[in-house]
Amino acid sequence: MDKLIITGGVQLNGEIRISGAKNSALPILAATLLADEPVTVCNLPHLNDITTMIELFGCMGIDLLIDEKMNVEVHASTIKHLSAPYELVKTMRASILVLGPLLSRFGEAEVALPGGCAIGSRPVDLHIRGLEVMGAEIKVEEGYIRAKAKRLKGARIFMDTVTVTGTENLLMAAVLAEGETLIENAAREPEVVDLAECLLRMGAKIEGHGTDTIRIQGVDRLHGCVYSVLPDRIETSTYLIAAAATGGRIKVKDTEPKILDSVLTKLQEAGANVQWGDDWISLDMEGRRPKAINLKTAPYPALPTDVQAQFTALNAVAEGTGSITETVFENRFMHVQEMKRMGATIDVEGNTAIVTGVSELKGAPVMATDLRASASLVIAGLVADGDTTVDRIYHIDRGYECIEEKLQQLGAKIKRILG
């Protein structure tokens, strides 16, 4: 099993390019199933989850063309199998996103219940309930969701809980449904907006994306298009937080500052000098130790849960004490025990972690438990004295393209050991 070995104590300095957003790329790839002409998706990140989705399409009999820049042309009309088998989807929660498009375009779907990170309950019942309201007949049996519908009907769907993948699945199902669909209490995340913009490019009729009420007028068909995926705001945030934790100075390019207000505000509170333009962000700590910050995660536009662990690592070496409250997932402090092995002072009380910064962490062997926890342990290793070995980094490869190469570009002493 691959490991990362980090020798800490080096300030991050330099420039890197941000990759396309995994959390946009996966639903947009799923959306290509809706078109009766080829769709080309650009700016895809080189990640295991993307590879798995492409492999899934291959198993369905879909013709794919991939160029040297990882642009993928999808010919969904060649599909032969309307099933997403467990063997492929067990590691990737986003596999559920093919359910809505398959059902809406082809009238049936068989999708294995998904896997992914162990960060708490993320039920698919909201997806199923919404599709049933639109007229689908659905059975959950033998670990599979089996769905049928002659043609989905437009409906008013109220989401009990804000869910990004639920909103995306029902949005994709609705674009080919008969009549109007209203999704209320919809997720507002930039990745949902990116998906809607791609669907609009394909000929869908959508209003209100980016708000909590999305209105969709169903159309008879969607055509092909070329679409470039949004830059990854979580990858952007991770490198900015890493630079702040190490007292460094970096510039990230090909990113989207306007969707990062909550993160940039917290970095400024931590003492960073942050500046940005249309597609870049610079951060300079001027060699200073960060200040402890208080934060609370919540759905967009609030601070994303996917940066909570990284800010925990920053607080671990900051001046003062900060509280970090997690409101999105109930099992997302698994990185805390590993950081405490490195000398962090953290007390967890319910859904809040109280972090008192120490002047120095100590390198230690640690184990990643989920995608963002693994990124936080890398940050902890970057600021620690001595060597840190991060095990089970297959998690990090699901969400970060070439993380060790990008950190090396910033001066980090980090290498991958193949296991």
Side-chain angles (χ1 to χ4, degrees):
M1 199 174 290
D2 290 7
K3 302 175 183 178
L4 288 174
I5 297 179
I6 306 158
T7 302
V10 177
Q11 290 182 356
L12 297 187
N13 289 285
E15 297 185 357
I16 54 167
R17 178 193 168 272
I18 296 302
S19 303
K22 179 192 82 158
N23 290 341
S24 272
L26 292 170
I28 286 171
L29 282 172
T32 65
L33 297 172
L34 293 160
D36 58 15
E37 296 174 348
V39 176
T40 301
V41 185
C42 309
N43 199 34
L44 288 171
H46 296 220
L47 299 172
N48 290 350
D49 279 8
I50 302 297
T51 305
T52 300
M53 185 69 94
I54 289 170
E55 192 178 346
L56 172 59
F57 279 15
C59 287
M60 290 177 169
I62 296 169
D63 285 348
L64 300 162
L65 294 173
I66 306 174
D67 69 17
E68 69 281 355
K69 294 182 180 178
M70 192 69 180
N71 300 324
V72 176
E73 183 178 287
V74 182
H75 298 247
S77 293
T78 64
I79 195 166
K80 297 179 179 66
H81 308 289
L82 303 175
S83 176
Y86 177 71
E87 292 71 28
L88 272 178
V89 307
K90 63 185 177 183
T91 63
M92 186 182 66
R93 189 168 174 79
S95 58
I96 190 70
L97 288 166
V98 302
L99 176 63
L102 287 176
L103 184 60
S104 191
R105 168 116 191 263
F106 301 103
E108 63 179 282
E110 182 179 82
V111 179
L113 290 166
C117 288
I119 58 173
S121 174
R122 298 200 278 188
V124 297
D125 60 326
L126 293 176
H127 305 235
I128 294 170
R129 199 179 312 149
L131 292 170
E132 286 177 334
V133 170
M134 298 172 73
E137 295 179 8
I138 300 179
K139 294 180 180 178
V140 180
E141 53 190 9
E142 300 172 341
Y144 279 83
I145 302 168
R146 296 188 169 102
K148 288 189 176 182
K150 287 185 179 179
R151 185 180 181 187
L152 294 174
K153 307 286 187 185
R156 176 179 174 267
I157 302 169
F158 178 79
M159 312 291 277
D160 290 347
T161 307
V162 177
T163 160
V164 173
T165 53
T167 300
E168 290 167 340
N169 228 339
L170 298 176
L171 172 61
M172 288 188 283
V175 293
L176 291 180
E178 183 181 339
E180 180 178 278
T181 299
L182 199 64
I183 304 175
E184 296 179 311
N185 200 27
R188 301 164 58 187
E189 269 69 7
E191 294 78 15
V192 175
V193 175
D194 206 28
L195 169 63
E197 289 295 327
C198 178
L199 291 168
L200 286 166
R201 193 81 60 86
M202 293 160 65
K205 295 181 178 178
I206 304 166
E207 296 176 349
H209 46 298
T211 75
D212 61 5
T213 303
I214 304 176
R215 190 180 299 272
I216 307 108
Q217 300 289 342
V219 297
D220 291 333
R221 63 177 289 268
L222 294 182
H223 53 71
C225 75
V226 177
Y227 193 80
S228 187
V229 170
L230 183 78
D232 194 320
R233 64 190 172 111
I234 306 303
E235 186 195 28
T236 301
S237 303
T238 299
Y239 288 114
L240 291 172
I241 295 167
T246 64
R249 180 174 181 237
I250 72 166
K251 183 177 184 179
V252 292
K253 300 181 291 185
D254 297 336
T255 189
E256 189 82 49
K258 64 177 179 277
I259 59 174
L260 283 161
D261 285 347
S262 61
V263 171
L264 300 183
T265 298
K266 288 300 171 185
L267 287 167
Q268 289 170 325
E269 286 180 23
N273 178 6
V274 183
Q275 298 182 348
W276 57 87
D278 288 343
D279 62 354
W280 60 269
I281 303 170
S282 67
L283 177 144
D284 190 356
M285 286 299 291
E286 299 173 354
R288 298 186 304 269
R289 186 178 166 193
K291 301 171 187 173
I293 56 172
N294 300 319
L295 61 87
K296 181 178 182 180
T297 66
Y300 189 85
L303 197 80
T305 180
D306 280 353
V307 301
Q308 176 259 107
Q310 298 92 310
F311 272 119
T312 303
L314 180 143
N315 265 3
V317 294
E319 293 179 358
T321 298
S323 68
I324 296 178
T325 302
E326 173 61 55
T327 73
V328 180
F329 294 119
E330 77 278 5
N331 193 24
R332 210 164 198 185
F333 283 128
M334 291 188 287
H335 47 283
V336 166
Q337 285 304 121
E338 299 302 298
M339 287 186 192
K340 289 171 81 168
R341 288 167 46 78
M342 302 174 70
T345 303
I346 307 173
D347 293 311
V348 177
E349 301 171 3
N351 67 338
T352 298
I354 309 298
V355 188
T356 300
V358 295
S359 59
E360 190 175 71
L361 296 177
K362 298 291 185 182
V366 292
M367 186 169 64
T369 52
D370 64 70
L371 170 54
R372 305 308 172 183
S374 58
S376 74
L377 296 176
V378 169
I379 294 173
L382 291 170
V383 298
D385 178 41
D387 290 348
T388 297
T389 302
V390 183
D391 205 349
R392 288 174 61 178
I393 60 166
Y394 59 85
H395 287 295
I396 211 165
D397 290 336
R398 290 184 47 240
Y400 292 91
E401 180 180 45
C402 307
I403 189 168
E404 67 271 26
E405 286 94 335
K406 289 188 178 183
L407 286 170
Q408 286 166 1
Q409 288 175 36
L410 299 173
K413 296 180 179 177
I414 180 172
K415 61 183 178 181
R416 180 180 292 250
I417 303 297
L418 301 179

